Amino acid sequence: MPWMTKSSRSTTHSPLPMRQVYIAPPSGQSGYLSPASSSGQPGFDLCGVCRVCTCLHTGFLKTPTAAVKIIEFVIGLTCQFLLLRYGMKYGQDLGASYSIYLTCCSACLLTSTVLLFCYICSPATYNRVRPSLFEVIFNGVSCGLYLAASTFLATAVHFHLYYFYQTIPGFSAYPAMTAVYVMGYIVGIVHGIDATMALKFMRASSNSSNRF
């Protein structure tokens, strides 16, 4: 048997093949269940071969974050429509409460829409923005603004429009404005829930990064 040194033995064997292994993060830290669809690819499957809208990552729509963002968008858009359709004519009667609510609704709706669109299109944006302080502060401020503006508007609607509702048949501005401030309370609570979720996500991400 020929004598083989340690160096010669190492050269006779080929190196082991390297593999990339994906380690999933602990549950509850990401919140983005999957950046792709159920088939592992972004977009929508038409016939098993063709896919459309591959820039959209539909996995985000299955998460609780997507649910609260969609609720914020739908209710905010409805309030915006009712304010412009029924409240503009009586804006002077409602005073500052109408302007404050309209400003609050426009700002929160625009920001929520941009965040929802970015999260659907880019998982990287979600993983950077969602656990940041911006989401916590934005949703916390939106919660406070919606609740305060809804209370202010409810008082003005009761004192300035209720009389017309009792005396003018078919007066639709009062029910519409009542629906606006009621939905304002609802979306304010949803923003509060969203702020709590973002805070938990931020703390979980911070603890995870500190371990490494």
Side-chain angles (χ1 to χ4, degrees):
M1 180 177 180
W3 179 265
M4 297 179 61
T5 61
K6 182 178 181 180
S7 60
S8 63
R9 286 197 304 267
S10 61
T11 57
T12 57
H13 297 282
S14 61
L16 296 176
M18 300 296 294
R19 294 189 307 170
Q20 291 183 347
V21 180
Y22 172 75
I23 301 177
S27 60
Q29 291 187 7
S30 174
Y32 202 119
L33 296 182
S34 174
S37 61
S38 58
S39 61
Q41 298 179 1
F44 300 93
D45 191 359
L46 290 180
C47 57
V49 177
C50 301
R51 302 189 66 82
V52 295
C53 300
T54 55
C55 60
L56 302 180
H57 296 266
T58 55
F60 171 71
L61 299 177
K62 303 176 184 178
T63 65
T65 301
V68 294
K69 293 297 182 187
I70 292 174
I71 293 174
E72 293 166 5
F73 170 75
V74 172
I75 297 181
L77 186 63
T78 305
C79 291
Q80 188 85 352
F81 171 77
L82 293 177
L83 285 169
L84 297 177
R85 175 66 176 82
Y86 297 97
M88 184 173 294
K89 181 179 179 181
Y90 302 95
Q92 293 183 351
D93 296 330
L94 296 175
S97 62
Y98 177 81
S99 301
I100 292 174
Y101 194 102
L102 183 61
T103 303
C104 169
C105 182
S106 301
C108 297
L109 175 62
L110 177 61
T111 308
S112 297
T113 304
V114 172
L115 289 174
L116 179 62
F117 177 77
C118 292
Y119 290 168
I120 293 176
C121 294
S122 175
T125 302
Y126 176 87
N127 292 325
R128 289 182 176 90
V129 177
R130 181 61 177 174
S132 66
L133 189 61
F134 169 77
E135 274 273 25
V136 180
I137 294 180
F138 162 67
N139 286 291
V141 171
S142 299
C143 174
L145 288 177
Y146 263 118
L147 296 180
S150 298
T151 303
F152 197 13
L153 182 64
T155 304
V157 167
H158 178 74
F159 280 104
H160 297 286
L161 298 184
Y162 184 71
Y163 172 76
F164 298 106
Y165 178 70
Q166 292 291 329
T167 56
I168 301 177
F171 185 73
S172 58
Y174 177 79
M177 292 298 100
T178 301
V180 166
Y181 69 73
V182 170
M183 287 189 293
Y185 284 120
I186 296 175
V187 73
I189 296 174
V190 173
H191 273 288
I193 296 173
D194 198 3
T196 304
M197 293 169 57
L199 180 61
K200 291 182 178 180
F201 189 11
M202 184 180 69
R203 289 179 175 177
S205 300
S206 178
N207 295 334
S208 177
S209 61
N210 290 336
R211 286 199 295 265
F212 296 100

